[in-house]
Amino acid sequence: MGVNSITLVGRAGRDPEVRYFESGSMVANLTLAVNRRSSGDEPDWFNLEIWGKQAQVAADYVRKGSLLGIIGSFKLDRWTDKSSGEERSKPVIRVDRLELLGSKRDAEASGGGSFGGGFGGGEPSDEEVPF
């Protein structure tokens, strides 16, 4: 049995790029910067791929600099470069769960508007606080 699970907390490196398909599905792609423990180190950058309803949430509420928590899995996208014919690959995190961790004020300051639908944003209720 194998395990392929990744949990990250970081800031969006750019606004999501959203694509819609004829089938009605959608995908949002963006980058996530995750700081290392040592303050002098450069952050690690991850490419995120978000599908379905969570892609819509990302499109509506995530902006460059938004604080995000994600749970997902690692995958390696592979393709043949059309111009050179070389095999190429890119590591991608396919997001299974997206949490908007910044405050409502942070979202409004970055132009994201208010959070809706109780999806990981805004203030948690007393029942959601684990302590």
Side-chain angles (χ1 to χ4, degrees):
M1 179 175 123
V3 176
N4 182 357
S5 181
I6 297 173
T7 303
L8 299 170
V9 174
R11 296 209 176 260
R14 58 181 162 87
D15 290 355
E17 294 175 6
V18 180
R19 290 182 305 187
Y20 299 88
F21 299 94
E22 289 181 17
S23 65
S25 63
M26 65 183 295
V27 64
N29 296 94
L30 65 141
T31 56
L32 186 73
V34 178
N35 288 331
R36 293 184 171 247
R37 291 185 188 257
S38 175
S39 62
D41 291 337
E42 293 290 318
D44 292 318
W45 288 89
F46 297 90
N47 296 301
L48 304 182
E49 177 181 274
I50 309 168
W51 288 87
K53 291 181 181 180
Q54 297 205 55
Q56 186 64 58
V57 170
D60 291 344
Y61 300 112
V62 174
R63 298 293 171 262
K64 180 179 179 179
S66 296
L67 184 62
L68 306 175
I70 66 103
I71 298 173
S73 57
F74 175 84
K75 73 174 196 165
L76 195 58
D77 279 350
R78 297 172 194 247
W79 70 95
T80 302
D81 187 303
K82 291 179 183 176
S83 60
S84 68
E86 291 183 35
E87 292 293 318
R88 308 279 302 207
S89 63
K90 176 175 82 168
V92 175
I93 308 301
R94 177 149 185 190
V95 176
D96 297 319
R97 182 170 178 179
L98 171 68
E99 292 289 333
L100 307 174
L101 300 177
S103 68
K104 187 174 179 180
R105 181 180 53 189
D106 291 341
E108 290 169 349
S110 67
S114 62
F115 295 117
F119 185 85
E123 297 297 321
S125 68
D126 289 336
E127 297 84 37
E128 294 173 336
V129 178
F131 47 86

